[in-house]
């Protein structure tokens, strides 16, 4: 079994009234419609202006024209945005539940730092120059850091505080290493500049094929963790009384978040705030039940990522602003607002 047996109904995990469940279900369908519309906008709108007729031809009547080639690139870009956005949002929701910190994101446990440090190492010491090469180094770095955080955080005795502290310490060390290498190696700095800001512009079918198996496995595991994570939200003692296996749930949560965030970071670079903002916003209208938070985050996170990518293509025509920059610009004020609201609520 991948996850623990579902806990008995409680004040937090008890089934919602039928009317509320129906509202949540309809809301999820509306979110899917919004996602479909944003995905279509991602294909139709770009730094290179195309008519709707050219977009239609590129989608359904490939005739080998320039417009068809542009639409083909946008389709790959949109698919990668869908996958990466869902992975980052789902990873963020799992980590917020695991650390019991609604302001946590995948960067908290050092996963982004691990991927970035691995890519710098690949460029500087192994001469890797292609995106397909970056993917495997980035994923390996994320996985290694995830395992190290789990070990330093206490392994079977890991607690949310220990995991967060271990992730913060490792992130600081790795970012110091990353900056030192890039300062000393101009070639590495030049090659890393584009990847480090986070972008969907280099999306290819090969990249999608490489990361898809990891994202599929991570998504399934994360969604199956909703019930045991619900139990853990009520405290360790209560979770044990309800039959939850805390060590197994924490280990699987770490593994799922590492696989999801590692694969997304490997393909797109470190994109910030998606895993923080979306789960937090979703929680405000779904409540604390992860059986709804996780699906909603999976659907709405690509809406944010693709929407930011489309915005970046529109504001800087004929060039474009990388999606990592746009999410950082949007996410900074949102993060400050969330922190201030939590502080006000605690006073």
């Amino acid at each position: 079994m991948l996850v623990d047996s579902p806990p008995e109904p409680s004040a937090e995990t008890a089934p919602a009234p039928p009317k509320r469940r129906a509202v949540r279900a309809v809301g999820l369908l509306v979110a899917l419609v919004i996602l479909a519309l944003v995905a279509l906008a991602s294909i139709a709108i770009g730094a290179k202006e195309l008519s709707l007729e050219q977009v239609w031809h590129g989608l359904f009547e490939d005739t080998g024209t320039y417009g068809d080639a542009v639409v083909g690139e946008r389709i790959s870009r949109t698919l990668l945005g869908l996958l990466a956005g869902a992975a980052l949002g789902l990873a963020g929701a799992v980590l917020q539940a695991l650390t019991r910190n609604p302001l946590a994101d995948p960067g908290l446990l050092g996963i982004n730092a691990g991927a970035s440090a691995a890519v710098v190492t690949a460029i500087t010491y192994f001469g890797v120059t292609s995106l397909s090469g970056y993917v495997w180094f980035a994923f390996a770095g994320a996985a290694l850091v995830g395992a190290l955080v789990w070990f330093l955080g206490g392994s079977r005795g890991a607690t949310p505080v220990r995991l967060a502290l271990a992730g913060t310490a490792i992130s600081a060390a790795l970012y110091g290493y990353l900056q030192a290498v890039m300062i000393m190696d101009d070639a590495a700095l030049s090659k890393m500049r584009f990847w480090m800001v986070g972008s969907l512009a280099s999306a290819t079918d090969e990249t999608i094929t490489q990361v898809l198996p990891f994202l599929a496995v991570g998504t399934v595991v994360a969604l199956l963790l909703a019930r045991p994570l619900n139990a853990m939200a009520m405290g360790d003692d209560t979770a044990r009384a309800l039959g939850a296996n805390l060590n197994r749930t924490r280990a699987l949560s770490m593994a799922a978040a590492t696989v999801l965030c590692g694969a997304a970071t490997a393909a797109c670079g470190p994109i910030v705030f998606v895993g923080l903002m979306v789960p937090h916003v979703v929680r405000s209208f779904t409540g604390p039940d992860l059986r709804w938070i996780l699906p909603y985050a999976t659907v709405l996170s690509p809406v944010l990522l693709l929407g930011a990518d489309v915005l970046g293509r529109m504001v800087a025509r004929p060039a474009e602003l990388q999606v990592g920059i746009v999410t950082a610009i949007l996410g900074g004020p949102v993060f400050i607002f969330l922190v201030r609201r939590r502080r006000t609520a605690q006073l």
Side-chain angles (χ1 to χ4, degrees):
M1 291 290 293
L2 279 175
V3 297
D4 309 303
S5 299
E8 295 297 322
S10 66
E12 181 148 351
T13 60
K19 184 177 180 180
R20 189 174 183 184
R21 289 202 301 271
V23 170
R24 288 171 172 173
V26 171
L28 193 56
L29 290 176
V30 171
L32 286 168
V33 172
I34 294 172
L35 177 59
L37 293 175
V38 173
L40 289 174
S42 178
I43 296 172
I45 302 172
K48 303 179 180 71
E49 294 193 34
L50 297 178
S51 67
L52 290 179
E53 182 181 0
Q54 287 175 304
V55 173
W56 178 269
H57 277 288
L59 284 172
F60 302 107
E61 303 174 16
D62 190 352
T63 56
T65 64
Y66 169 77
D68 295 344
V70 172
V71 171
E73 292 175 1
R74 290 181 186 173
I75 290 173
S76 296
R77 184 170 183 159
T78 301
L79 288 174
L80 184 59
L82 288 170
L83 294 173
L88 291 172
L90 194 53
V94 168
L95 289 177
Q96 288 175 13
L98 177 65
T99 60
R100 299 175 196 165
N101 180 358
L103 298 180
D105 75 338
L108 181 68
L109 297 186
I111 297 171
N112 286 347
S116 300
V119 171
V120 168
T121 301
I123 292 173
T124 305
Y125 299 110
F126 297 100
V128 178
T129 57
S130 67
L131 183 64
S132 60
Y134 296 167
V135 166
W136 296 107
F137 275 92
F139 184 76
L144 182 61
V145 168
L148 185 59
V149 168
W150 175 250
F151 174 76
L152 294 178
S155 192
R156 289 184 174 275
T159 64
V161 173
R162 287 181 180 178
L163 291 173
L165 289 175
T168 302
I170 292 174
S171 292
L174 288 177
Y175 277 123
Y177 163 77
L178 188 152
Q179 295 298 325
V181 171
M182 290 199 299
I183 288 172
M184 294 186 294
D185 189 335
D186 291 339
L189 176 60
S190 177
K191 293 173 183 175
M192 280 292 296
R193 232 173 3 188
F194 187 76
W195 186 84
M196 279 294 294
V197 297
S199 174
L200 300 175
S202 299
T204 63
D205 293 341
E206 182 184 6
T207 304
I208 294 170
T209 302
Q210 286 175 333
V211 300
L212 183 58
F214 299 106
L215 296 177
V217 171
T219 298
V220 170
V221 174
L223 292 174
L224 289 174
L225 286 166
R227 288 181 179 272
L229 284 173
N230 269 344
M232 287 177 57
M234 295 180 285
D236 290 358
D237 292 337
T238 303
R240 288 192 188 95
L242 293 172
N245 186 321
L246 302 186
N247 292 329
R248 184 168 59 186
T249 300
R250 285 175 180 146
L252 287 172
S253 298
M254 276 290 300
T258 298
V259 168
L260 290 168
C261 185
T265 303
C268 308
I271 297 175
V272 297
F273 287 120
V274 174
L276 165 68
M277 286 192 290
V278 176
H280 195 88
V281 172
V282 165
R283 194 179 296 106
S284 67
F285 59 83
T286 64
D289 191 345
L290 284 156
R291 292 171 296 181
W292 288 101
I293 291 175
L294 297 183
Y296 265 96
T298 303
V299 174
L300 291 178
S301 294
V303 172
L304 172 61
L305 188 61
L306 287 176
D309 190 43
V310 172
L311 180 62
R313 285 182 255 169
M314 294 176 63
V315 298
R317 284 175 174 170
E320 64 179 73
L321 203 59
Q322 279 73 31
V323 66
I325 297 174
V326 178
T327 58
I329 293 172
L330 295 175
V334 173
F335 182 75
I336 293 171
F337 170 75
L338 294 176
V339 171
R340 287 182 62 84
R341 191 174 72 169
R342 278 178 56 81
R343 184 178 177 184
T344 302
Q346 292 171 355
L347 293 178

